Amino acid sequence: QQDEKDRFRNRFAYTRFSFMMNSKENNSGKVKNVTRFFLSDLNEFSENQIHLSSIINKRIHNLPFAFSLTFDDYLNYNNPDSKFREKDVKLFAFSSSMLIKKYGIDFNVAIDFDFVSEPNLFQFFPEIKMTKEIVKDIILINGGLRHIKDRYTLRSLSSENVYIHSFGMNQSIFGSQEIYQHYQQLRFSDRNELYFSIRNVLSERGVFEGTLSYADIQNFAHYIKVINPVYSRFNVDYINVRELHLKTDYTNKINNILSLKINLDYYNWDQQVYHKPNFICSISAPLTLRNKIKVTSSLVYSSKRNSVQYFFDDLPTLY
């Protein structure tokens, strides 16, 4: 007999085909490029993504330039049993950057152009990254302004919260079929971020990295419960927030077999965010035997999460 929990567990099948082409041109005056392509599928055409991107490097008037071109096509609900209308959203992105060295600092200045087909939206964003090596091979700092554009997908949402509703994804639905009127709203998030980071080599085996950032985020995703008479699921909800994020990483290679990794993440948002912890700590000890067998033990702590109290108290325990 099937376990009761298994009947209500989300089950996702993901397939991806990809290749990368990298030019081996060594002449600094010649054009160099890296091209990537992949095609992915989640649960038999519930969600597909077609990706093609190329990064081109070229020196112009003795200044290094980089040009990035990206095309993404996101397709949803193409399986024959889907109750939802098919969706097709395209993203075209172009970025041009230039590296300038001045006062012992590397300045990387860029402009990003994005076009999204739904809604028809054209945007551009300036970026700047400043890098300085304080102590050669020991302390490196960098900071600046960057723009990050991401598409929320059924796969990315389910990776963060395995209890999102999966209707329209070729899975059995228990209870009322009226729930079909709901579906996950999949949007792009836009993050404009000021950041500062430092990398410090503490010893031959130990490295510390820290990043402090402050971001204005459009379409930040958190989760709201969806009512179903038989079992509970979560729907994604979007808000605009400002986020302060402190991230630290410490790695120490104890010997040729054992390592230690400590990661800390602290978040502070300017408004209520549901079902997301604001503090996460993880400690892991990867073990490598003869470079063939790898075993990792880890301990992860997440702080309490806010919820919509009249819907739900806490997320269920994951097994």
Side-chain angles (χ1 to χ4, degrees), residues 40 47 53 77 87 92 108 113 121 135 146 181 219 277 316:
S40 66
E47 178 172 78
S53 63
Y77 310 123
K87 287 183 173 292
F92 300 90
N108 197 316
F113 298 89
L121 182 63
V135 180
R146 61 189 173 195
Q181 64 182 306
N219 290 331

Side-chain angles (χ1 to χ4, degrees), residues 205 253-259 285-290 293 295:
R205 297 178 179 269
K253 188 175 181 180
I254 298 173
N255 51 46
N256 293 332
I257 297 176
L258 184 64
S259 298
L287 183 69
T288 304
L289 300 175
R290 296 183 178 180
I293 300 175
V295 179

Side-chain angles (χ1 to χ4, degrees), residues 12-67:
F12 301 113
Y14 180 73
T15 305
R16 176 167 168 167
F17 167 78
S18 64
F19 77 86
M20 182 178 72
M21 181 176 65
N22 191 353
S23 66
K24 296 183 177 181
E25 182 59 61
N26 294 321
N27 190 329
S28 61
K30 299 292 185 178
V31 175
K32 304 176 184 179
N33 77 84
V34 178
T35 300
R36 295 181 176 87
F37 170 82
F38 72 77
L39 173 64
S40 66
D41 173 63
L42 178 70
N43 277 41
E44 303 172 4
F45 304 113
S46 298
E47 178 172 78
N48 301 113
Q49 181 182 354
I50 302 170
H51 172 88
L52 177 63
S53 63
S54 183
I55 300 176
I56 301 169
N57 293 279
K58 177 76 169 85
R59 295 189 73 89
I60 302 175
H61 299 300
N62 208 32
L63 290 175
F65 281 80
F67 305 93

Side-chain angles (χ1 to χ4, degrees), residues 13-17 37-51 71-80 82 86-91 151-156 168-170 186 188:
Y14 180 73
T15 305
R16 176 167 168 167
F17 167 78
F37 170 82
F38 72 77
L39 173 64
S40 66
D41 173 63
L42 178 70
N43 277 41
E44 303 172 4
F45 304 113
S46 298
E47 178 172 78
N48 301 113
Q49 181 182 354
I50 302 170
H51 172 88
F71 168 76
D72 281 298
D73 194 1
Y74 300 91
L75 304 108
N76 290 98
Y77 310 123
N78 290 300
N79 59 66
S82 176
E86 294 180 4
K87 287 183 173 292
D88 183 355
V89 179
K90 298 178 177 64
L91 167 68
R151 165 81 171 179
Y152 290 106
T153 63
L154 295 172
R155 182 171 185 264
S156 68
M169 298 180 66
N170 281 5
L186 303 174
F188 287 93

Side-chain angles (χ1 to χ4, degrees), residues 129-144:
K129 178 181 179 180
M130 296 170 285
T131 305
K132 172 71 174 179
E133 194 173 39
I134 303 298
V135 180
K136 184 174 176 58
D137 298 326
I138 301 295
I139 301 178
L140 179 73
I141 62 173
N142 66 72

